Amino acid sequence: MSLRRVTFAMSTRHFIYTLLVGLSLASFSLAADERPVKRAVGVVLFPGFEMLDACGPMEIWGNLKDQVTLITVAKSAGPVVTAQGVEMVAQKTFADCPKLDLLLVPGGFGVKKLIKDEETLIWLKQRSAQVEITMSVCNGATLLAAAGLLDGRPATTNKAYWKMATKPGPNVKWVTQARWVDDGNMVTSSGVSAGIDMTLHVVSSLFGQRTAERMADEIEHDWHRDPSWDPFAAKHGLK
Amino acid sequence: MSLRRVTFAMSTRHFIYTLLVGLSLASFSLAADERPVKRAVGVVLFPGFEMLDACGPMEIWGNLKDQVTLITVAKSAGPVVTAQGVEMVAQKTFADCPKLDLLLVPGGFGVKKLIKDEETLIWLKQRSAQVEITMSVCNGATLLAAAGLLDGRPATTNKAYWKMATKPGPNVKWVTQARWVDDGNMVTSSGVSAGIDMTLHVVSSLFGQRTAERMADEIEHDWHRDPSWDPFAAKHGLK
């Protein structure tokens, strides 16, 4: 082997080595900064939250074990009573909740009291600013609106209690006919079971259509893929 | 007024009075013995139960506050971890659970261990014999089958894990194509979200179609009213 060939072979090897290290570092940096390997999904619980608003989406997030870490968070850790009377456990407090990648706010009659609770509104504002996507189900949007997070943006909420749910958000562009509204980093869904359809939509955006279809099939859910599908708007006199 | 007319008037009044008292007693006895004013719905929790199997139906039972008392029950009271990782609280133990009118058994990967657990199987058998209707969601039916409660009866279970779910019930008349199977005092549903449709069906049987429709509309749920609606059977090669 000539000296020239050896030099060439070495520099080629060096080039490939440098390339591989570079690529690996680049992908690591991408994974760490933009596309976390495992996303932390925080679900906010509060007394009187609507059980299915939280549990529908959590069923799906919790089944994505390789992609997601599911965290329930409340003002105080421990049992939190649902609007249906049974209790779910909040694993973390507002204070000790780790960094989140996705934030989910359910609704329920408990929202009425919470829209006046400064501690909750401030926490929601701070966390929402840090996550990729903030999601709400039902009048969870009322809470986001009260925190000023939906000002000037399109959003939806539950149809059965539309007037009450939209009142604390006079500057929100409320959409009456929508299963969910995707406004980039803010995705709001209609009432209760609509949260499942919205979650599948977000899963599809983050992990691809195939993953979302698999999740829907696994829980034998008839996924409404069209965000404008909403027979409940008319049923509640909103169309 | 002649004596005859007075006697007639008195006996008519006496007759009406007796009739009213009788009717009122009869309706009281019916209410107390056969149609309890408020039914106690017991939902069995165990480590690794599928969250939506339990929470879908509980959303509806919990919203029927005037007709239903919702009770979560497990071997031990306190937090029970779901298959999705978060926890729900069991209010009662098997031992201190009050008399139930309806019993709901969710599925989940935890069933695999539970079908060998004598204490659970015996408790299910005892309670099932006392209630009006025993319901299961997903492979909750596997648990009922293991307890011998479905022998010789038509039933369904989840479609994604059909073989595994039906194995402990060789004497069950398994129905592959069904959102749910109503066999009188035993109503079994297909996987996960099918539990919501089944629950609305049972609510309709107990409290009328209008109440069930109201419940479905309130949670903005697209209720599949046809028990043979089941695209998931074919998707999982069962048709």
Side-chain angles (χ1 to χ4, degrees):
Chain A
M1 199 183 267
S2 74
L3 186 66
R4 203 173 159 184
R5 281 191 67 186
V6 169
T7 313
F8 175 75
M10 275 188 68
S11 47
T12 308
R13 206 178 302 139
H14 183 251
F15 171 71
I16 291 170
Y17 175 73
T18 312
L19 188 74
L20 285 175
V21 169
L23 277 175
S24 132
L25 279 174
S27 76
F28 174 78
S29 132
L30 191 71
D33 296 341
E34 292 174 61
R35 288 170 42 144
V37 175
K38 218 166 168 178
R39 284 174 170 89
V41 180
V43 180
V44 185
L45 307 185
F46 49 86
F49 78 91
E50 193 78 14
M51 184 163 30
L52 195 55
D53 285 17
C55 294
M58 283 203 289
E59 169 75 21
I60 297 162
W61 295 120
N63 282 348
L64 287 160
K65 294 216 189 313
D66 294 337
Q67 295 99 322
V68 162
T69 304
L70 187 58
I71 300 162
T72 47
V73 53
K75 261 180 147 176
S76 313
V80 181
V81 69
T82 66
Q84 284 62 41
V86 299
E87 293 173 322
M88 290 209 67
V89 178
Q91 297 157 319
K92 298 287 178 185
T93 66
F94 281 172
D96 70 13
C97 181
K99 185 183 170 295
L100 298 173
D101 299 294
L102 300 162
L103 180 64
L104 177 79
V105 183
F109 74 80
V111 165
K112 201 178 165 185
K113 198 176 165 188
L114 223 55
I115 53 171
K116 294 168 200 149
D117 185 73
E118 278 303 314
E119 187 188 340
T120 301
L121 299 181
I122 289 169
W123 187 87
L124 285 175
K125 258 172 141 165
Q126 285 173 340
R127 292 304 181 122
S128 179
Q130 295 162 4
V131 300
E132 281 177 86
I133 304 172
T134 300
M135 296 163 283
S136 69
V137 180
C138 204
N139 63 333
T142 310
L143 210 48
L144 297 182
L149 287 162
L150 297 176
D151 278 354
R153 304 183 67 159
T156 198
T157 181
N158 77 325
K159 305 301 147 61
Y161 306 96
W162 183 259
K163 217 170 160 180
M164 198 200 303
T166 57
K167 206 179 167 188
N171 302 317
V172 181
K173 293 176 183 163
W174 293 109
V175 182
T176 50
Q177 173 78 20
R179 188 68 170 163
W180 72 82
V181 171
D182 182 339
D183 191 39
N185 66 350
M186 207 62 76
V187 185
T188 53
S189 93
S190 193
V192 198
S193 79
I196 301 175
D197 291 333
M198 174 198 71
T199 302
L200 289 167
H201 161 75
V202 175
V203 165
S204 174
S205 309
L206 295 175
F207 307 117
Q209 180 79 5
R210 194 179 290 181
T211 301
E213 296 285 355
R214 188 166 53 81
M215 288 297 108
D217 282 354
E218 225 170 64
I219 63 165
E220 300 191 20
H221 174 69
D222 185 18
W223 179 18
H224 297 95
R225 291 161 183 78
D226 175 6
S228 72
W229 179 88
D230 184 12
F232 303 100
K235 276 190 179 180
H236 295 291
L238 293 170
K239 213 189 158 185
Chain B
M1 198 183 268
S2 73
L3 186 64
R4 204 173 159 184
R5 280 190 68 184
V6 170
T7 313
F8 176 71
M10 274 188 69
S11 46
T12 307
R13 206 177 304 139
H14 183 252
F15 171 71
I16 291 170
Y17 175 74
T18 312
L19 188 74
L20 285 175
V21 169
L23 276 175
S24 131
L25 279 174
S27 75
F28 174 78
S29 131
L30 191 70
D33 296 341
E34 291 173 62
R35 288 170 40 144
V37 176
K38 217 166 169 178
R39 283 174 170 89
V41 180
V43 180
V44 184
L45 306 186
F46 49 86
F49 78 90
E50 193 78 14
M51 184 165 28
L52 195 55
D53 286 16
C55 294
M58 283 204 288
E59 168 75 21
I60 297 163
W61 294 121
N63 283 348
L64 287 160
K65 295 216 188 313
D66 294 338
Q67 294 99 322
V68 162
T69 304
L70 186 58
I71 300 162
T72 47
V73 53
K75 261 180 147 175
S76 313
V80 181
V81 69
T82 66
Q84 284 61 41
V86 299
E87 294 173 322
M88 290 210 68
V89 178
Q91 296 157 319
K92 298 286 178 186
T93 66
F94 282 173
D96 69 13
C97 181
K99 185 184 170 294
L100 298 174
D101 299 293
L102 300 162
L103 180 64
L104 177 78
V105 182
F109 75 80
V111 165
K112 202 178 165 184
K113 197 176 166 188
L114 223 54
I115 53 172
K116 294 168 200 150
D117 184 74
E118 278 303 315
E119 187 188 341
T120 301
L121 299 181
I122 289 168
W123 188 86
L124 285 175
K125 258 172 140 164
Q126 285 173 341
R127 292 304 181 122
S128 179
Q130 295 162 5
V131 300
E132 281 177 87
I133 303 172
T134 300
M135 296 163 283
S136 68
V137 181
C138 203
N139 64 333
T142 309
L143 210 49
L144 297 182
L149 287 163
L150 297 176
D151 278 355
R153 304 183 68 159
T156 199
T157 181
N158 76 323
K159 305 301 147 61
Y161 307 96
W162 183 259
K163 217 170 160 180
M164 198 201 302
T166 56
K167 206 179 168 188
N171 302 318
V172 181
K173 293 176 183 164
W174 293 109
V175 182
T176 50
Q177 174 79 18
R179 188 68 170 164
W180 72 82
V181 171
D182 182 340
D183 191 39
N185 66 350
M186 207 61 76
V187 185
T188 53
S189 93
S190 193
V192 198
S193 79
I196 301 175
D197 291 334
M198 174 197 72
T199 302
L200 289 167
H201 161 75
V202 175
V203 165
S204 174
S205 309
L206 296 175
F207 307 117
Q209 180 80 3
R210 194 180 289 181
T211 301
E213 296 285 355
R214 188 166 53 81
M215 288 296 109
D217 282 354
E218 225 169 64
I219 63 165
E220 300 190 20
H221 175 70
D222 184 18
W223 178 18
H224 297 95
R225 291 161 184 78
D226 175 6
S228 72
W229 179 88
D230 184 11
F232 303 101
K235 276 190 180 181
H236 295 291
L238 293 170
K239 213 189 159 185

